[in-house]
Structure formats: C-alpha cells, structure tokens
Amino acid sequence: MSTKELEQLTIVIDFDSTFTKVEGLDELARIALEGNSKQAEIVGKIREITDKGMTGNYSFADSLRDRVALLPANRSHVDQLITFLKGKISESFKRNKTFIKEHADQILIVSSGFKDFIVPVVEEMGIAAANVYANTFTYDADGTITGYDQANLLSQDRGKVSLLQSLALDGEVYVIGDGYTDYELREAGLANKFFAFTENVSRKAVTDKADFVVPSLDEFLYLNGLSRAQSYPKSRIKVLLLENVHPAAVQLFKKEGFQVELLKGALDEEELIEKIKDVSIIGLRSKTNLTKKVLEHPNAARLMCVGAFCIGTNQIDLAECENRGIAVFNAPYSNTRSVVELSIGLMVMLTRNIFEKSTKMHAGVWDKSATNSFEIRGKKIGLVGYGNIGTQISVIAEALGMEVYFFDIVDKLALGNAKKCNSLKELLSTVDFVSLHVDGRKSNTDIIGKQEFSWMKDNVIFLNLSRGHVVQIPALVEAIKSGKIWGAAIDVFPYEPKTNDEEFVNELRGLPNVILMPHIGGSTEEAQANIGEFVPSKLLQFMNNGSTYGSVNFPELQLPPLENAHRLLHIHHNVPGILAQINNVFAKYHVNIIGQYLKTTEQTGYVITDVAKEYAEEIVNELKLIDNTIKFRMLY
C-alpha cells in the first residue's frame, strides 16, 4: 500500500478478543465474583450469552442487557480489570505497537464493550480516547454499576452499523474483529474489507463471512503491504514436529504465532517427503532420517532450519543441509545427566542380578542368595567415548569407588584419577565393565564385534546407551551365551520400531541377565523438558534474529538484538568476492549500513547486514541475484 493510500485508510478495530485476548465483561464478572460460590455459574452464563451474540445467534441489545444484569460489579472491580487487561493485549498487537502509535489517528476502536476499561488500555498503545467508540456504565453514589447508557448507539442492535453511518468516514475502511457485529459493517457497505481476527478465538459463523481470515495483526499488515514488526507473518510459517517431542516445544512455537503440527511417530523417507511440503522448521528425534533425497525434493524448498531433539545428528544429512542453507541445531547437553544416572543404575542392577530376581519374584519364586552378587566398588569401568556423558560417568563412578579407564579417538583430558588407554584393545582387556558412549558417525559402525568381545575379560558387564549400529548384535548374543558377557544392558538397536504399536524384534530377547530398553536413556521428564525448551530456543533465535550459535553444520554467529533497523541475511557458497558484491549493491543505492557480520565455513558463507529502514526496494532483488547465493531473507 502506498503512502497516499495509507493516508486515506481508516482501520476499525474491535476490542474484546481482538485488541485483547479476552472478553472484558466476562473478566469483570470473574473479578467481581471472586470468592462467591456462584462465580463459575454466573461467569459461565455471561460467556454463553457473549458467544451467542458474537456469532449472531442472539440479539445484541438483549445480550448486553442480560450480561450487565448478571454483573455485580463496582468501580474498584473496573480498576482491577484495567490492570488485568493491560497484561492481556494480544501478542501481535504488542509486537506492532510502533505501527499502532505511528498511525493512531487512522485507527478507531469500535466496541460493544465499555469505555470505562477500554480507554486506559488502548491509550498505553498510543490511541487517544477520542478514537474510542464504546458503551459506558452508569453508577450509583457508592460506585456500584447500575447499568449503562442506553441512548448510546453501540448498546443497540446493529449499533456498530449505526455508529459508522453517523461518522460518514472518507476513503477506504477496513474492519478487524472476531464477531458477527464486526462483519455487519462490511455487510452494510460501510467497510471495504472485513478481516476475521482469529489469534484468540475463531468463530466459523464469522470466518465464513470474512474477506480475509487473519490469525494475527502481522498477517493483516502483510496482506496490505503495511509496515510491521515481522518481515513475514509467522502465521504463514509451518513447523513440523515429529516423534512426540515435549509439549513445551509445541507451546513455544505456538506462542510465537507459527503453524504447528505434531506427530507422535517417526516418518520414513516417502512419508517425510509428503509431510515436509511448505514446512520451514522441522523438529525430529533419532528415528526419522532427513536424507538427501528428502532435502532435494521440491517439497522441501521452504525448509530453513532443523532441530534434533536429542544429542545425535547422524540421522540428518548435515552436509546437504549446509549446501542448501539449512541450519541444524541439537541438544548436546540437555539429557546427558539422565543417561549418566541410568548407566550407573544399570551397572548396579546387573552386578546384583536384580532384573532376574525381580522376574522370579513376580512369578512367586523366593530366591534369596548372595551368589554372583557383587558391589561395583573396587571394580574397573571402561568408557568407550569420553565426551559429555562419558566424563560425567567418570566422575560419578570414581566417587563410588571404581577405577576409571577410557578410550577416545580424540585426545581428552582425564578427570580425577581416570586413566587414558592408548587403544580400544587395551581398554577392553583391562576392565570389568564396558560402557559405550560414542556418537553416531558412520565410522563408528560395528566398532564392537566378535574380535572386540574376544579381547574382553570373562564375565564382563556390557552397556550400550550410545547408538544401535556400533555393536554387532549377533556377536553380542554369542558373547552372552558363551558366558563372556555376564550381564548386558542395551538401550539402542540397529533397527528400532517407529511407534509404540510396532513389535520389537531382536535376537537379544529372552536372554538371561540382559536388560533391554526402548531407547529411553535420555527419556526423563526433566531431560525432555530441557530439550523441549533448548532446541526451540535455538531455532527461534535463528528465525527471529538470524543467530546460528550452537548450529552443528553452519557458520556460528551470535548476533545482537535487531533495533530500529532491517536485517538482511545472505547465505552463499563460500567463494571469493561475495562480500564485495554485497557491499557494492549497498553502495550503489547509498544504503546506510548500521552493522555487518560475516562468518564462513569451508563450504558456506553467512553475511548479516543491519541497514537503516529507508532503502530502495530494488536492493533485495539484486542481493538475491548475486552468483552463488543459496538463500536470502529479511528481518525487521
């Protein structure tokens, strides 16, 4: 919309469930009836009448009269309501406070609610009392609400229609609201467009009548080419979350205004190709494989970032993601403590043969014996992999009186009295407990097989809580049956069921003193909640700010907040001269650069430029057309 067109536009906005998240009268009743045994009953009646009025199934005049009659409130309750409503302004209105303030003269608040509580709320957003049209309460000498001004047009049926007729507005009129009375303005020919606002409530009787359905004020501003807090409405951004990630993640994305779809199970390649269409953010755990075939499919063209709600990222083609400008984030620490605690517990369970004894007890067999039950104190534990989990186990195991040995292909500093082994063979031939904590890289496939089991001492306790493909299962089965392995605890497998409904099939089933777990090493409420918050926070920082700190495949940049500027993000193949070309474009159009940041990997370059808000629109197209550009986007 041009500046001239904007100057001739009047935006009529409803208050209840549009400007604010709630219905004012409903909340006033709740406040006034606090401590009253009939609070729920009366508030429920008021809300029922409100809903009927908003969908056109109840005369508005009757609706208002009946609701106020049920309202035992006074001025002090109204004051409490004002404070409450100031904290309930709709999120997208708060985000776009700058637009509202800058264009307050063109915004009218037209509500069937009451000025008594509306004016103080909208004034904080820059809208003057003179631009508020609403009902007013009447009070007695004690400040108790006795009714309302029945001569006010807005207290009557089709009151909003009568009001706008009396105002005789010039130019274009756009109406934003959630109720049928807002649509009536369009129906009466007093508004050029009606936008059904669904951020807080969606009524089919209203959305069916609308010219546009807008889930946020950002969407309204975007559709009309108006300045806004977000360059692209988040309501248009799709998030696909797989494998039943923690509800905290769902809520974080929804709070930001994204479209979110949550699936309980994993998806195979073809299923994922179908589901990823138009998705910008995908979150997955360990069972879904994001392959090159998926990434190169046209359905994945809008994918911007990936969140692995786990430690490992071997299920994601990181190189292909980088090649396509897709940043990947994981949770390298969030569930490590859970894995560590389980590992220690399993060692105790296995050395005491608790699992077998418990099974017998459930069958009614009393097998009280100390035979083949041992303490772990004084025993030697060998950690294959000395990363975030291995080092924590090292500290706890030593505190329990164990001797700690470790082997890692990367040179690591030993903690406490832990001893580094120079080879896997040295470690396996030394220890009484073997615990695997390696990552999922392909080179770790089958690192424990028949040869490695032969190096171990007899009657070893063996744990694998790392990756399913690192152990040859037939070789492990043979080692258990031969007595080489006294007890084993396995949490990960070469093939794992996609959902809880699929049968688990594996040769380890039924073997004695073998604890089998359905990949739950990190599955505690604490760990999943941590992951559910940590991973989305990284994805949201990337989407909202452009920051890539913590990415496993992308140039890492921790960017400052974006303030009073537009941020241009340019992802490109790392070849010489790109930065110069970008800056030549800025120089050509005399752009004022406020800040600029560059980081590269061997394959990819990432340039972020903060510029003054006023610049030629041609700049964007020229930046996109620079050779070797992978992706370009804007934030403001």
Side-chain angles (χ1 to χ4, degrees), residues 366-440:
W366 185 268
D367 182 17
K368 179 176 170 61
S369 171
T371 304
N372 292 325
S373 291
F374 304 94
E375 294 180 351
I376 63 172
R377 180 178 57 172
K379 307 301 187 297
K380 298 174 181 178
I381 179 173
L383 300 168
V384 182
Y386 205 61
N388 297 320
I389 294 173
T391 50
Q392 289 185 63
I393 292 177
S394 174
V395 172
I396 295 175
E398 186 173 328
L400 291 171
M402 302 185 79
E403 292 184 40
V404 180
Y405 296 81
F406 70 90
F407 172 73
D408 199 302
I409 59 173
V410 178
D411 191 26
K412 298 287 182 70
L413 175 67
L415 300 181
N417 295 314
K419 302 175 182 65
K420 178 183 177 181
C421 294
N422 294 317
S423 68
L424 182 58
K425 183 176 182 179
E426 178 187 348
L427 179 129
L428 296 178
S429 61
T430 302
V431 299
D432 307 302
F433 294 80
V434 175
S435 191
L436 307 184
H437 301 286
V438 298
D439 61 31

Side-chain angles (χ1 to χ4, degrees), residues 505-524:
V505 178
N506 195 279
E507 299 169 67
L508 292 167
R509 285 171 52 178
L511 294 178
N513 206 24
V514 174
I515 299 176
L516 302 179
M517 297 162 290
H519 204 148
I520 56 170
S523 297
T524 61

Side-chain angles (χ1 to χ4, degrees), residues 269-287:
E269 205 168 47
E270 293 303 322
E271 292 171 329
L272 187 55
I273 286 173
E274 182 63 29
K275 269 292 182 184
I276 208 170
K277 185 177 181 181
D278 295 330
V279 167
S280 297
I281 303 170
I282 186 169
L284 46 79
R285 295 172 76 178
S286 58
K287 295 179 184 177

Side-chain angles (χ1 to χ4, degrees), residues 191-257:
N192 301 90
K193 294 178 183 178
F194 169 55
F195 297 82
F197 187 80
T198 60
E199 182 172 330
N200 304 309
V201 62
S202 179
R203 299 180 172 96
K204 190 173 187 301
V206 179
T207 56
D208 285 349
K209 299 285 188 180
D211 294 293
F212 299 93
V213 177
V214 291
S216 66
L217 184 60
D218 309 285
E219 181 79 10
F220 168 81
L221 298 173
Y222 175 80
L223 288 171
N224 293 292
L226 301 172
S227 61
R228 54 200 178 273
Q230 298 176 348
S231 54
Y232 193 76
K234 292 180 180 178
S235 56
R236 289 174 172 252
I237 296 176
K238 293 183 179 180
V239 180
L240 177 62
L241 301 176
L242 305 175
E243 302 180 61
N244 207 27
V245 302
H246 196 274
V250 179
Q251 292 307 313
L252 283 169
F253 285 119
K254 284 187 174 180
K255 184 178 179 181
E256 286 283 323

